[in-house]
Every structure is written in structure tokens, then in C-alpha cells.
Amino acid sequence: MKSGINKSAPALLKARLMLVVIGIILPYLARLPRGSEWLGQYTDAGLSGWLLISGLNAIAWGAILAISFTYERPASLIAPCLLGFGYLAWSHGTLDLSTNPNAPIALVIIPVYALLPIGVGGVIGFVMDRIFRRS
């Protein structure tokens, strides 16, 4: 008989906190390999630009966070985080805002497009969580 107490709850809480922190700093980390000029495209906008980028990316990491509430094991978060954050890192790392005056529109589109890989990862994570529950 199950006791009703989830022993992995503290670990899942830590994983969720790490997910949020990574989600907030990921756009900036993804731009670092191309140098300070690329990072400056995101950071030169001041506080309002930081809030805009963070708020828009909250669409993506918020979806992963919402999916995590269906899981009982932190390991189940691996698939949605890898697929979702991988897509976000690639997108932010390759977006050159100086090439086209319409390029900033991609800042809105990137997190929305990330919902597909996050959803696929969420299903994979859900299946993994069910397998982990049985063992």
C-alpha cells in the first residue's frame, strides 16, 4: 500500500527551481559563444529589454514547469528540458538582430515554436515517469 508521501518531492522542487533559473538565463548564455557583440544585442536594451526577453521566454520554461507538475520523479524532466531548452538555445544562439529590422519579431516567435519540442519531450517524460513509478 502506498503511504501517499512522495519521497522525491524535495528533489522535484529543486529541479523545478533549477528549471526556472536556467530558463531565465538561457537566452543570454546561448549568445555568449559568439562574443560580446552578440550578447550586447540582448543586454543593451536595459531593464525593459531584459524583462521583455525574460517574459517572452517564460512561455517556454513555464510550459516545462507546468508539465513538471504531472511528474513524480525529477528524472522525467530530462526529455522536456533537453528538447525545449535545446531548441531555445539554438534559436537564440543563431538569431542575429542586426541583419534585418524585422528580426526582433523572432523574440516572440521563438518561445511559441519551442512549445512543440517541449510537448514532445513532455510526452516522453510522462511515459518515463510512469515507467519509473512501476519500478
Side-chain angles (χ1 to χ4, degrees):
M1 225 163 99
K2 290 188 177 182
S3 63
I5 298 173
N6 186 355
K7 294 180 182 178
S8 63
L12 195 55
L13 182 63
K14 288 178 187 176
R16 287 181 183 135
L17 180 62
M18 190 179 347
L19 181 151
V20 170
V21 170
I22 291 171
I24 291 171
I25 64 172
L26 181 71
Y28 307 101
L29 290 176
R31 300 194 67 81
L32 282 176
R34 295 205 181 210
S36 62
E37 184 180 318
W38 272 65
L39 182 61
Q41 290 179 355
Y42 276 24
T43 58
D44 288 346
L47 181 62
S48 61
W50 181 80
L51 289 174
L52 176 70
I53 292 171
S54 296
L56 290 171
N57 274 324
I59 295 168
W61 62 257
I64 299 172
L65 183 64
I67 289 170
S68 76
F69 287 102
T70 63
Y71 300 154
E72 289 187 10
R73 306 279 189 281
S76 305
L77 279 169
I78 292 171
C81 286
L82 281 178
L83 292 175
F85 287 155
Y87 176 79
L88 287 172
W90 172 79
S91 296
H92 284 292
T94 58
L95 176 64
D96 187 1
L97 296 176
S98 66
T99 59
N100 186 337
N102 295 326
I105 295 172
L107 294 174
V108 176
I109 296 170
I110 288 171
V112 174
Y113 279 7
L115 294 176
L116 179 63
I118 290 169
V120 170
V123 171
I124 294 169
F126 187 76
V127 170
M128 287 174 47
D129 194 60
R130 295 295 176 214
I131 291 170
F132 292 150
R133 286 184 193 183
R134 290 183 185 164
S135 56

